[in-house]
Amino acid sequence: MYRKILMNRMRNKIICISCIVLFLFGCHSARSQQEKSAKKPNMSGSESRYHDFRVMFYNVENLFDTYDDPKKQDNEFLPDGRMRWTTNRYYSHLRKTAKVISAIGEWGTPAIAGLCEVENDTVLVHLLNRTPLREQHYSYCITTGNDMRGINNALIYQRDKFKYLGHASSRIPFTNKNKRSRDILHVWGEIITGERLDVFVCHFPSRTGGEKETEQDRMDAAVFLRKLCDSLHETVKEPNIIVMGDFNDTPADKSIREITKGSNAKYNLINLFGDPKKLNFYGSHKFQGEWSQLDQIMVSIHWNEYLKKDSPRIFAPAFLLSKKDGRGEQTPLRNYLGNFYRGGYSDHLPVVADFLLPLP
């Protein structure tokens, strides 16, 4: 009898221990499942495996080298020129531009970055090889436009995230036959999904001389860009298109509406910066005390499906902004204010968009 009682007690202890083990294992499994779920991206079609793809655009404000190009009007940005553009100032601007690109990266520098107001290949070679960006293994493409001052558009890209296939420097056919401006840079390559990605980097004509007086120049650029985008639909069923740049017009202006509206509704582009009220900052540029969104990123309908939650945004950390004035106002901390050297970064703030690409 005592043996029977002893056996029952042992059996009860075993059952009790087993229950505890199962309870603890269940808690651990539930917690592990919650952690896994928390890591899943909020994107249909890619619940477990995805690839971050960060895109930025930045007007770097007169990134000239210190050498004279006799074919361009770059004399003011020479050591003995009006701006006193010395080697020290040049390399300071390179380092600060690299700092901005790196700071935007957070967990990793951008996969692709469009830049405007870059003088030439020499500047890009120095930027990518004589600053901390040399650790990021960027390659580049640049236009060969006929801008009077010699500034161009460029794209830097990380070779492991964007496989370069080709590029073109496209001259804008202006109504004013004497108009000279930056070419549109078109770069195409392959992304990790195996799909083709077409990127356009733009710097539309400025408003110097008056907004209305120069409107036709920007309309000419917009119509031409729209044709370049539409032509992709003739060869690709659902092209992935990114258009980025300093358009010198806001999302409400006629030229921007011309770009986003395709000849077919399926060809439309979505302006990620189309509603400034939904953005995290006042704008990307400030002129005469007013913020505006001149820098924008637009994408095709298919590519927009990859857009990450809480994207896009204007990159506006404290180091890119001036100190607050008496009214509490700030401006982008630019490199020059007129002829006065401020040693800042740029008169524009960068714009950023994040995408999640499903791994094959």
Side-chain angles (χ1 to χ4, degrees):
M1 182 175 179
Y2 288 105
R3 183 178 180 182
K4 185 177 182 180
I5 292 173
L6 182 61
M7 291 293 292
N8 287 338
R9 287 179 178 177
M10 291 179 65
R11 184 178 60 187
N12 290 340
K13 285 183 179 180
I14 292 172
I15 293 173
C16 184
I17 292 172
S18 299
C19 289
I20 292 173
V21 170
L22 289 172
F23 175 78
L24 293 174
F25 179 79
C27 290
H28 175 74
S29 298
R31 184 167 62 251
S32 298
Q33 187 62 38
Q34 288 174 354
E35 290 173 353
K36 290 179 181 178
S37 298
K39 294 179 181 178
K40 291 181 180 179
N42 185 20
M43 186 185 77
S44 60
S46 177
E47 294 184 352
S48 59
R49 303 182 67 214
Y50 65 97
H51 179 73
D52 293 295
F53 194 89
R54 176 161 289 180
V55 176
M56 71 166 286
F57 174 79
Y58 188 28
N59 180 327
V60 295
E61 191 198 334
N62 297 321
L63 190 51
F64 284 86
D65 62 24
T66 57
Y67 307 105
D68 182 26
D69 183 345
K71 297 181 181 180
K72 304 294 181 181
Q73 296 179 3
D74 63 348
N75 292 339
E76 63 180 6
F77 278 93
L78 295 174
D80 58 352
R82 184 166 61 92
M83 297 298 189
R84 300 296 176 187
W85 191 237
T86 63
T87 300
N88 286 340
R89 290 182 177 183
Y90 168 55
Y91 275 98
S92 174
H93 198 19
L94 286 174
R95 289 191 297 270
K96 287 174 180 174
T97 301
K99 176 182 176 181
V100 174
I101 296 171
S102 298
I104 280 177
E106 297 173 353
W107 35 257
T109 46
I112 60 173
L115 307 174
C116 76
E117 297 202 9
V118 176
E119 186 179 12
N120 51 37
D121 292 79
T122 299
V123 169
L124 290 172
V125 170
H126 290 170
L127 176 66
L128 301 182
N129 293 281
R130 299 186 181 182
T131 73
L133 287 181
R134 61 182 173 272
E135 304 297 332
Q136 302 303 321
H137 307 295
Y138 278 109
S139 291
Y140 72 88
C141 298
I142 188 170
T143 56
T144 54
N146 64 354
D147 179 83
M148 295 292 291
R149 299 173 59 231
I151 55 176
N152 288 286
N153 298 321
L155 182 80
I156 63 173
Y157 58 91
Q158 291 183 322
R159 297 185 296 275
D160 61 332
K161 298 178 182 178
F162 180 82
K163 182 182 177 182
Y164 168 86
L165 296 177
H167 79 280
S169 182
S170 301
R171 188 68 45 84
I172 301 169
F174 289 105
T175 302
N176 177 3
K177 302 303 181 182
N178 295 320
K179 178 66 180 177
R180 300 178 66 174
S181 187
R182 284 75 60 175
D183 284 4
I184 293 174
L185 175 62
H186 177 199
V187 186
W188 56 96
E190 186 178 294
I191 54 176
I192 198 167
T193 61
E195 298 173 288
R196 168 170 162 158
L197 174 62
D198 287 85
V199 183
F200 295 91
V201 184
C202 314
H203 187 189
F204 279 13
S206 75
R207 298 185 176 191
T208 302
E211 179 182 346
K212 289 299 180 182
E213 290 77 4
T214 59
E215 183 181 48
Q216 185 59 50
D217 293 336
R218 291 186 294 282
M219 279 301 299
D220 290 341
V223 170
F224 181 60
L225 174 61
R226 183 65 256 180
K227 288 180 179 179
L228 292 176
C229 292
D230 283 349
S231 66
L232 293 174
H233 289 269
E234 298 174 3
T235 55
V236 184
K237 183 178 180 181
E238 291 183 319
N240 295 306
I241 302 173
I242 299 178
V243 172
M244 62 174 109
D246 172 2
F247 296 93
N248 276 305
D249 268 339
T250 70
D253 287 314
K254 186 178 178 181
S255 67
I256 304 302
R257 297 198 302 271
E258 176 68 28
I259 297 169
T260 56
K261 187 176 181 180
S263 57
N264 183 305
K266 295 181 180 180
Y267 298 178
N268 288 352
L269 295 176
I270 298 171
N271 190 349
L272 303 182
F273 292 81
D275 186 357
K277 295 180 181 179
K278 295 182 180 180
L279 298 175
N280 61 304
F281 201 70
Y282 312 106
S284 62
H285 182 262
K286 196 172 189 180
F287 180 69
Q288 295 182 345
E290 295 292 331
W291 285 99
S292 59
Q293 193 63 43
L294 303 183
D295 306 277
Q296 297 153 64
I297 298 175
M298 309 169 202
V299 299
S300 57
I301 294 173
H302 181 54
W303 183 260
N304 189 60
E305 296 174 1
Y306 297 143
L307 186 65
K308 193 174 182 179
K309 188 178 180 181
D310 300 325
S311 187
R313 62 192 171 92
I314 302 168
F315 187 62
F319 73 84
L320 284 184
L321 298 168
S322 66
K323 294 181 180 179
K324 292 182 179 180
D325 60 20
R327 297 177 299 174
E329 297 287 335
Q330 292 178 289
T331 61
L333 186 58
R334 56 192 302 166
N335 201 26
Y336 275 90
L337 182 58
N339 296 338
F340 177 66
Y341 178 68
R342 299 191 65 187
Y345 294 82
S346 174
D347 55 343
H348 287 249
L349 296 174
V351 290
V352 189
D354 290 313
F355 303 88
L356 290 175
L357 308 182
L359 292 174

